[in-house]
Structures are given as structure tokens and as C-alpha cells.
Amino acid sequence: MLLRILARAVRHWASPLGRPQGQVTPFKVLLLCDRDEEAVQLRQDITQALHNGHVVS
């Protein structure tokens, strides 16, 4: 769910429609993990979402 929301935000801010002179605004997300295991799991979740087409970059 979080990845879908973030993907929508990325698409919204990257869209030149309705923006002055068609300018886009970069939107980046930083996810922090306390432990290496959490970072590994997060990377796997993001990779799986990308491969399943749930997240569009």
C-alpha cells in the first residue's frame, strides 16, 4: 500500500500538466531501516513490487 501511494506521488509531481512552463518537480523518498535485515527485506519488497507492476518509476 505504501509503495502504491508513493508511486502516485512520484507520478503526480513528475507530471508537467498544469504546471508553469511544463516544469516538473522531483519527488524522492528516503526509507531508513534500523537493522541490515530490515533493509534487505525492504529491498526485496520493492523489487517484487516493481516486477509485479505495482510500482511505476
Side-chain angles (χ1 to χ4, degrees), residues 2 5 8-9 13 15-17 19 24 26 30 34-36 39 42 45 48-49 51 53 55:
L2 174 63
I5 292 168
R8 282 186 197 160
W13 288 104
S15 173
L17 299 175
R19 306 226 188 269
V24 299
L30 175 64
D34 290 332
R35 298 186 320 243
D36 289 341
L42 182 60
D45 292 345
Q48 182 178 13
H51 281 78
V55 177

Side-chain angles (χ1 to χ4, degrees), residues 16-40:
L17 299 175
R19 306 226 188 269
Q21 301 172 355
Q23 296 175 345
V24 299
T25 303
F27 181 89
K28 297 184 182 200
V29 177
L30 175 64
L31 301 172
L32 300 175
C33 299
D34 290 332
R35 298 186 320 243
D36 289 341
E37 302 85 37
E38 292 173 346
V40 169

